[in-house]
Amino acid sequence: MPPMKEDASSLVPRPSSPRDRIAQWIRPEIRELSAYHVPDASGLIKLDAMENPYHWPEDKLDQWLELLRTAELNRYPDPHARQLKDRLREAMAVPAGSSILLGNGSDEIIQMIVMAMSGEGRSLLSVDPGFVMYRMIADFCGMDYVGVPLREDFSLDAEAVLAAIEQHQPAVVFLAYPNNPTGNLFDRTDMQRIIAAAPGVVVVDEAYHAFAEDSFMSLLDEHENLLLMRTVSKMGLAGLRLGMLAGAPQWLGEFDKVRLPYNINVLTQLSAKFALQHVAMLDAQTQQIKQDRAELYAQMQALKGLTVFSSQANFILFRAPAGKAAALFEGLKAEGVLIKNMDRAGPLLRDCLRVTVGAAAENAAFLQALVKTGLC
Ligand SMILES: *Cc1c(COP(=O)(O)O)cnc(C)c1O
């Protein structure tokens, strides 16, 4: 063995703290981001994240637990989740000509699409205010984000979107239908003009489909560049992390290449199949939530000082008296109710907050706390 020599490189000053190394090695666009913040909800009535408030009845829980005994945790899951896809195809009325791709939540599907399409000069187009993950994932993957402002009433400015498509030639357009955080459905004809004009794919994100009266699912056969995304999260299964993309097999085949092989775990596959066998139970919960949404909307509208926006989702966006959003948010929290303050989420959302429709008692507690703040 040759004698150890003094290594010349050791004389060059080396970064001495994580901070210096991070500055050297983490991509600048990542350093500039802040991590998605999920507030601590312990001890609070949780009306901030569009979760379904209901639990399953005991007999259903027992059946489910019995089924979990059969889970083979020592084996990798079925990489194609075939049985689950069959159930989803049926439950979601996916047209025969369309394929299905599954994600660990629809967030992962957005990530797969963007990973497969990003590159120098490529862009993702959506609307502002819209679902924040579109922009975040575009940022992670180094894809340009083009956000076209909605109109003041949160309707789609189709002419502005078409002009932006013409100018930026986006690889992918994401439109949530209904939109989050505004809760409205965009004009269907405008959406179709956008699908026709887009040079790449258009993903219609129907995360809130269960609470809405319309869908683009039946149009999949008519537009080869239309993809439709759904999730079981807002239907009452947020803990499972399961999202679905439906569309032309050729497109899905490309996105499938960037999917990690076992992204839908054994427990999720089993549990989701089970839940979809009992979809009537989930549908009944959805109906209840829609009914409670109408009631909550009317009660909020009766409070002076609030502007309440009508919703086709399981949440309601509303505007507080000018400059009062933060005080209202904190006031509610002090009363034990957690909602989401959207005041800083873009110019159109000034003074706005978003509340999830919960169980009747939770909605009542929210209303009571709202009045107690004395701000409306
Ligand atoms: C909640 C939400 C999703 C994410 O759903 P997951 O399947 O839980 O990842 C996607 N799109 C919109 C518009 C949402 O609001």
Side-chain angles (χ1 to χ4, degrees), residues 49-50 104-108 110 131 133-134 176 178-180 205 207-208 229-234 238 241-243 315:
M50 284 79 89
N104 186 340
S106 42
D107 289 348
E108 194 193 35
I110 303 168
F131 184 47
M133 292 313 284
Y134 307 147
N179 190 41
N180 174 11
D205 178 354
Y208 299 96
M229 196 162 67
R230 293 266 179 94
T231 174
V232 301
S233 296
K234 315 291 158 61
R241 309 304 299 129
L242 180 69
F315 58 83

Side-chain angles (χ1 to χ4, degrees), residues 48-103:
D48 67 325
M50 284 79 89
E51 289 147 327
N52 171 321
Y54 300 110
H55 298 283
W56 294 1
E58 285 296 324
D59 64 320
K60 287 276 175 354
L61 278 179
D62 289 341
Q63 287 175 35
W64 171 59
L65 289 172
E66 205 47 48
L67 182 68
L68 289 185
R69 297 176 76 94
T70 68
E72 293 197 277
L73 294 182
N74 57 321
R75 301 288 177 200
Y76 284 106
D78 173 1
H80 304 291
R82 288 184 193 84
Q83 293 178 12
L84 175 55
K85 281 183 187 171
D86 289 345
R87 286 242 173 271
L88 282 165
R89 178 179 289 282
E90 198 180 321
M92 306 259 185
V94 178
S98 293
S99 287
I100 293 177
L101 177 76
L102 301 182

Side-chain angles (χ1 to χ4, degrees), residues 123-128 145-149 156-173 194 197-199:
S123 63
L124 179 161
L125 186 145
S126 190
V127 293
D128 287 332
Y145 176 82
V146 179
V148 181
L156 195 63
D157 187 344
E159 302 313 319
V161 173
L162 291 170
I165 287 175
E166 177 70 28
Q167 185 189 343
H168 297 280
Q169 298 290 307
V172 54
V173 176
I194 290 166

Side-chain angles (χ1 to χ4, degrees), residues 68 71-73 75-78 264-271:
L68 289 185
E72 293 197 277
L73 294 182
R75 301 288 177 200
Y76 284 106
D78 173 1
I264 312 299
N265 72 67
V266 169
L267 299 176
T268 295
Q269 291 195 29
L270 265 182
S271 304

